[in-house]
Amino acid sequence: MQGFPDRQRHAYPLQGEDGADLANSPYLHWLVGQLKALGDEKALLICKRAETAIQLEQLLRHHVGHMAAVFHEGMSIVERDRAAAFFADEESRAQLLVCSEIGSEGRNFQFVRHLILFDLPENPDLLQQRIGRLDRIGQKHVIQIHIPYLVGSAQHVLYRWYEEGLDAFRHNCSGAAQVLKLLGSELHEVLRARDPAAIEALIAKTRDLNSRVEEELHKGRDLLLELNSCRPQEAAQLVEQIRRNELDGSLWPYMEAMFDCYGVDVEDHSRDCYILWPSENLRIAHFPMLQDDGLTVTVDRDIALAREDMQFLTAEHPMVLSAMDLVLSSETGNAAVSVVKHPQLKAGQFLLELLFVAECSAPAELQLGRFLPHTPIRVLVDQNKKDLTAVVGHDSLTETGDSFDKLQIAQFLHSQRQHIQDMIQVAERLAAAQMQRLVTESGNRMIAALTGEIKRLVRLKKINPGIKPQEIEQLKQQTMLSHECIQDTQLRLDALRFVITS
């Protein structure tokens, strides 16, 4: 797979005794110097045990005065979320996140490019898990992997095994698990004895075995499948369409208007990030996915990748979809009064713009949505009950923004009640005529598709005894039932706008 960042390995051989107290160990002195060398850049540190992570954070805070966040399995999920968010915050003083092995799973920190492997795991899959916290799509820099070790220690042997035998720091080693399975016991013995000759022999054996495993895995690839898995031209079009949709910028203004409509308070958090609160004037009992203690959201993908504590709002987000369903299923916003100016409309007249929905109710197994989904039908009639739907488009009826006396408008609507009802009846007849044309076209498409499938099965049955007559008969029954459901399509008035021309 393409698109992943490059890696650079930096080894730091240290002098000292293995097993020394952490407060006086060469590791701590090296770490303090390394953090100073990094300047303001953030770094992720992963070690094996939670005790090491806790002690490191305490030593850095109390003896060195360095601000670090800690992340280990002894913390609750909420506490770990807070630690990760504190580290990810651009304005926080936490330069370092100290993690136990649990930090190598699930969490993504692709906004960081420095990874400190305070100790090395004996399982190469765990090593790749650690590196994978930074080595992800979305990483914009070359990953810098820092590996300190005491010369002559077991960590030194592990470093050499990974570097010289598997080349695991620079590349993802897909055959490492198989190599460990075959050489695991020998590796443990070498780590215990640390015999120089045995170390060299193990590294040579690992290198040869890893090459053979990688070659076997490569030969097992389905090249035809890979060639057809991605069509570059179609993929590029999809990527460009997604990029245009994300850069459109219309989602947040829409959601902000919806929050204002339903009484959800919006507070600025930071750039492209907001905090949502249910206000005292919330118009419904519960806004979708909004908790009583608030919710932090962002509309920026890069921020969402770095901040897992924030919800990333897209057009497919459950909150957005549920909010849209809320609007569609409630009476909120289904009637409006607008003042517009249009070159084809005289000033001082009024019109009705109505939105109907043609609904085809059918069993789900028929999948009639492919032929006749719920379809909106727009109708525009003037005060003389004349159809202007084709003459004046919806987009051209732009509001002037002029204010009007709501009480006066309400009195006028009451006085014109009967006339407006007559206009609605005319619009219903016009919409019913449009729906009938829609039903006819959809029915023809359905019959053409299903009869074509029936004919195909009939021809196939002549050469394939596996095609049963019951299948053909069932398809015929589905065709008749589908025809009945399409013919029973109903028209529903969904929204209405009273338009005044100026």
Side-chain angles (χ1 to χ4, degrees), residues 158-177:
L158 265 178
Y159 167 75
R160 290 194 58 195
W161 186 65
Y162 282 128
E163 170 66 15
E164 301 173 30
L166 296 174
D167 195 19
F169 296 115
R170 295 183 180 88
H171 307 286
N172 187 33
C173 187
S174 55

Side-chain angles (χ1 to χ4, degrees), residues 424-436:
I424 293 175
Q425 291 178 0
V426 172
E428 287 177 341
R429 290 195 294 270
L430 294 171
Q434 290 189 47
M435 184 191 71
Q436 192 54 50

Side-chain angles (χ1 to χ4, degrees), residues 40 42 69 81-97 109 111-112 269-271 273 303 306-310:
D40 294 331
K42 292 180 180 286
D81 286 342
R82 288 174 179 169
F86 177 61
F87 173 66
D89 191 345
E90 294 179 358
E91 299 180 359
S92 76
R93 293 169 45 235
Q95 181 189 10
L96 183 69
L97 179 63
F109 301 99
F111 59 93
V112 179
H269 178 277
S270 55
R271 180 182 60 85
C273 301
I303 295 176
R307 298 290 301 271
E308 295 187 2
D309 58 312
M310 293 187 179

Side-chain angles (χ1 to χ4, degrees), residues 99-113:
C99 296
S100 64
E101 202 67 73
I102 195 174
S104 65
E105 301 176 2
R107 298 285 174 167
N108 302 326
F109 301 99
Q110 56 267 52
F111 59 93
V112 179
R113 69 186 184 109

